[in-house]
Amino acid sequence: MDYEIVTLKEKIAVGVSARTNNMSPDMGAVIGGLWNRFYGEGIYASIPNKADGKALGIYTDYAGDEKADYTVVVACETLEEQPGEEYAVCRIPAGRYAKFVIHGDMVQAVAAAWQEIWQMDLPRTFECDFEEYQNDSMDNAEIHIYVGLVEGDERT
């Protein structure tokens, strides 16, 4: 699977979060439930100062082991951190990322891409990876997946 190396500035994202792991039988329900809350309960619409209209699926706080728990945040990028406790706030760290561009069914294409990414020999930081949804088409989505990379590793 092709990718390009990009350098990103820090991003502030605001939304809803939960903990899960890749081996959990309810992982899909946990992540899907966050997306349902984000849009179905009007959370996306209520977040002020959005940087753009894109939604983010963020994966952070994991150790690189498929059995380890991690935090999932469904969010949007904001221009500033939001005050209050009703939202989860996540900082996507500045740094180098492998950027994958995925097209197709929003759920199936992302799942298939992650399966391939997990098999690749990338020098991952396992600090923060995220999906950036470019449109809201379920059948013909364009999704950018960013995988955090270790600085200075020769493999990229």
Side-chain angles (χ1 to χ4, degrees):
M1 186 162 43
D2 293 333
Y3 62 91
E4 68 175 303
I5 304 297
V6 297
T7 301
L8 300 179
K9 295 179 181 177
E10 181 182 71
K11 297 176 183 282
I12 300 169
V14 175
V16 292
S17 68
R19 299 276 296 166
T20 191
N21 70 65
N22 289 348
M23 303 312 259
S24 174
D26 68 345
M27 176 194 71
V30 169
I31 295 172
L34 287 175
W35 285 104
N36 287 337
R37 282 185 58 210
F38 190 63
Y39 285 110
E41 295 177 14
I43 293 169
Y44 173 82
S46 70
I47 296 172
N49 301 316
K50 292 178 190 70
D52 53 39
K54 300 172 186 174
L56 304 172
I58 306 165
Y59 308 93
T60 187
D61 300 329
Y62 57 93
D65 177 349
E66 285 194 48
K67 298 176 186 172
D69 284 354
Y70 54 87
T71 300
V72 181
V73 184
V74 173
C76 56
E77 183 181 356
T78 60
L79 300 174
E80 59 190 25
E81 195 166 314
Q82 306 296 315
E85 296 180 15
E86 67 268 25
Y87 304 118
V89 176
C90 177
R91 291 185 178 274
I92 297 172
R96 289 177 11 138
Y97 290 81
K99 176 184 175 185
F100 299 84
V101 178
I102 309 301
H103 294 93
D105 176 86
M106 191 176 284
V107 175
Q108 300 301 323
V110 169
W114 277 114
Q115 294 244 336
E116 280 192 58
I117 291 167
W118 272 99
Q119 301 305 314
M120 297 175 77
D121 183 29
L122 292 171
R124 297 178 63 182
T125 63
F126 294 103
E127 184 179 353
C128 183
D129 301 327
F130 67 100
E131 304 150 359
E132 182 180 66
Y133 293 82
Q134 306 301 304
N135 60 36
D136 60 1
S137 171
M138 289 300 290
D139 300 329
N140 191 23
E142 179 177 332
I143 304 108
H144 298 175
I145 298 178
Y146 294 87
V147 176
L149 300 175
V150 174
E151 294 287 336
D153 191 288
E154 307 298 316
R155 290 177 283 175
T156 56

